[in-house]
Amino acid sequence: MEKPWMEIFLELTKIPHCSGETGALRRYLIDFAKRCGYRVESDEAGNVMAYGKNSRVTLQSHYDMVCIGRAPQIEVVTESGWMRAVESSLGADNGMGVAMMLHLMQKGANADFLFTNDEEIGLIGAGALELKIRTPFLLNLDSEELGKVYIGCAGGEDVHCKKRIGFRPVSGGAWYTLTAEAPGGHSGVNIADPIPNAITELASVVTKNPAMKIATIKGGERINAIPRHAEALVWMPDGVEPLGTNPSVTIQKSAAPRETEVLDEERLAEALFGFAHGVRAWNRELDLPQSSINLAEVSLKEKEVRISLSARSMANEDLGRLVDQTVAGWEALGFECEREGKYPAWKPEINSFSEMVLKHYKEVCPGASYAAIHAGLECALFADRFRDLKIASIGPTILDPHSDRERVDLESVEKVMNVVEAVIADLSSI
């Protein structure tokens, strides 16, 4: 019996599929595609392709999700036309794309279906794709705004810095736990929004208390998420009370740790607070960030401070310069830095396929238009590798992905479904 796309999505939420732990959902996708009569292939990177007959277009979504909060234990709530999860990310990014594709497979749609793995931790599946894309057109379903046909996206690269650090003993005084809480968000889509970075907010309190010394520190959840939580254990000498004027940070007295040592490093908090997290340059033509960087994670393990950052840019040359500057800055402070997970920008380009997609989109949403996004899409890797492949990206309205506020407009999913079906029907006639 054919299942509606919403019922399929609810099934997906019950199968754990955090990035790096997607095996159970991969088996589900393979079995589902075979039951629908498609020829299925998979590769070493965990990508899955379901081939139709005489297909003209490949539909593509990634099937991993950013797990925030209680995820992968996802409790779904639907109200006023929106779907969200209780105290966790929902996985609508990109689970709604996966659900739409599975629904179309049930209906025997004349298309190929590519499910890519581990997109959220560096476009890993798409970067290692061994499966053949045999169609001349590819429609990605990983965009997050109804009425937009995306024809360009940012490239990105991660930077991981580390530094061995000394400790010194302290005696007397008082111990406190600093806890910073912030809304969190997608480090590309939400980077221009007025969302505080929990690491930055925590560091701001330490810098305003010159006598405060850090013993432990940890902040951030994912390389591609604006940090929503940061925590530090700090020490203050006798007779000095901590100043706390930041509404995002709470200060609570704590018991002394077993080892009463603090970092023998005076400038860590200043370096974290002073780092220019956020938008670095604005693209006026596209009306979105040109370049940005996310101060994503900080931790202290085995007397080594580790800091992770995620850079993005709409132009490859700008990305390279931003990463070079970031590495130079942290190396000047004595850190060793490594670059990881680089992926290219997708230069905006209108072609015959994007024009067809926009034509059908305007039948559903008269105000539909072209757009680019300040986030990584697998389209960039496909465009770089398959030069003759014509690509476009669409998707339903998803707000605050990569956070526990993630929610999806259900009516927008239905409208995108209509556009996809119209595109498949049109291409089948060519």
Side-chain angles (χ1 to χ4, degrees), residues 229-251:
H229 179 85
E231 187 172 298
L233 179 65
V234 300
W235 173 84
M236 297 283 284
D238 289 320
V240 182
E241 293 293 323
L243 302 174
T245 58
N246 190 316
S248 299
V249 182
T250 59
I251 304 175

Side-chain angles (χ1 to χ4, degrees), residues 169-199:
V170 292
S171 59
W175 295 86
Y176 299 87
T177 297
L178 307 186
T179 305
E181 300 288 350
H186 190 294
S187 64
V189 175
N190 300 123
I191 199 69
D193 297 339
I195 297 174
N197 180 314
I199 295 172

Side-chain angles (χ1 to χ4, degrees), residues 60-61 94 138-153 346 349 351 353-354 357-358 361 369-373 376-380 390-396 416 419-420:
Q60 182 264 322
S61 295
N94 188 209
L138 183 142
L139 185 59
N140 168 279
L141 301 178
D142 191 23
S143 297
E144 294 162 357
E145 185 177 359
L146 181 69
K148 299 296 184 183
V149 177
Y150 285 88
I151 56 172
C153 73
W346 175 27
E349 178 183 76
N351 57 48
F353 179 57
S354 63
V357 175
L358 182 60
Y361 219 142
S369 61
Y370 290 121
I373 188 171
L377 290 175
E378 291 161 307
C379 302
K390 291 182 169 58
I391 306 170
S393 177
I394 61 175
V416 170
V419 175
V420 175

